[in-house]
């Protein structure tokens, strides 16, 4: 690295006049002259900042996450790509991504991030890259259950923990902070 031109861009990416780095690796073929970060490079997990984020140059979109090598976001158009912060979601004019990977069947025109790893478009709800089958996107909401990183959600018919359906009794135990809330099934 050239110390006279080296600059930290966010919690994931740095560059000098000629090269771009992510966490501990140089990103081969990244164009330092047009390279820019798209968010602050932080995802909060249980109150701790974890390096995760998107960046782009004239030719590609990049995603970095703590513990993994940076990836090129396949199919992403750098001209239209935006990050929704928190190092999780991003989209361009025709595709939607989470953690740098395509969310299949997401409609980029109507898609919106929700909370945690949930998102929705006009006709579907997603947990990470999975479609939650039979969920009503109009009434779907992510419920706050305190500082726990796991979030529950519901629509007018059912409750969910991540992409698993749970009962109302399990939700009530979980929301109350019960340490053995999963025992409600047994």
């Amino acid at each position: 690295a050239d110390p006279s031109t080296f600059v930290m861009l966010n919690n994931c990416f740095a560059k000098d006049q000629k090269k771009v780095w992510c966490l501990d690796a140089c990103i081969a073929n990244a164009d330092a002259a047009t390279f820019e970060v798209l968010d602050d490079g932080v995802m909060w997990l249980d109150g701790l900042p974890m390096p995760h984020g998107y960046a782009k140059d004239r030719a590609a979109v990049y995603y970095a996450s703590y513990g993994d090598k940076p990836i090129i976001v396949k199919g992403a158009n750098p001209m239209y790509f935006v990050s929704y912060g928190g190092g999780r979601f991003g989209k361009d004019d025709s595709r939607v991504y989470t953690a740098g990977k395509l969310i299949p069947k997401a409609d980029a025109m109507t898609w919106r991030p929700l909370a945690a790893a949930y998102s929705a478009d006009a006709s579907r709800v997603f947990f990470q890259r999975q479609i939650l089958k039979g969920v009503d996107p109009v009434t779907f909401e992510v419920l706050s259950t305190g500082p726990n990183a796991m979030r529950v959600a519901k629509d007018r018919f059912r409750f969910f923990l991540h992409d698993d359906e749970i009962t109302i009794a399990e939700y009530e135990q979980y929301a109350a902070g019960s340490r053995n809330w999963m025992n409600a099934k047994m």
Side-chain angles (χ1 to χ4, degrees):
D2 174 10
S4 66
T5 61
F6 186 85
V7 61
M8 287 296 303
L9 301 172
N10 66 13
N11 282 344
C12 291
F13 299 100
K15 72 177 184 173
D16 67 12
Q17 188 173 358
K18 295 181 182 178
K19 294 181 182 177
V20 176
W21 288 269
C22 174
L23 303 174
D24 63 351
C26 185
I27 303 175
N29 301 323
D31 179 34
T34 62
F35 191 88
E36 62 182 288
V37 295
L38 300 174
D39 50 48
D40 63 4
V42 175
M43 178 188 297
W44 291 90
L45 184 63
D46 288 336
L48 299 173
M50 300 295 290
H52 290 266
Y54 290 96
K56 68 180 181 178
D57 64 15
R58 63 177 167 69
V61 174
Y62 304 90
Y63 179 76
S65 67
Y66 179 76
D68 295 322
K69 293 185 181 217
I71 62 170
I72 292 177
V73 180
K74 292 181 182 171
N77 184 338
M79 182 178 291
Y80 298 105
F81 196 90
V82 294
S83 172
Y84 284 82
R88 185 179 307 276
F89 294 115
K91 77 175 197 110
D92 63 15
D93 56 329
S94 62
R95 295 175 192 88
V96 180
Y97 300 87
T98 184
K101 295 185 178 167
L102 182 69
I103 301 176
K105 299 185 180 180
D107 174 26
M109 296 302 291
T110 62
W111 176 88
R112 66 195 184 284
L114 298 174
Y118 293 103
S119 67
D121 65 18
S123 60
R124 293 179 276 298
V125 175
F126 306 92
F127 176 76
Q128 295 178 357
R129 299 179 63 226
Q130 302 298 316
I131 296 172
L132 297 180
K133 294 189 186 328
V135 175
D136 177 21
V138 174
T139 62
F140 186 85
E141 62 180 312
V142 180
L143 304 170
S144 175
T145 58
N148 194 326
M150 294 192 297
R151 298 281 176 99
V152 292
K154 71 173 189 136
D155 69 1
R156 65 182 174 182
F157 305 111
R158 301 175 290 179
F159 286 87
F160 296 88
L161 174 64
H162 302 294
D163 57 347
D164 292 320
E165 187 174 345
I166 61 174
T167 67
I168 191 165
E170 291 169 322
Y171 164 71
E172 287 169 351
Q173 284 192 353
Y174 179 78
S178 173
R179 292 193 181 272
N180 61 350
W181 74 274
M182 283 298 287
N183 293 334
K185 281 187 172 181
M186 300 176 181

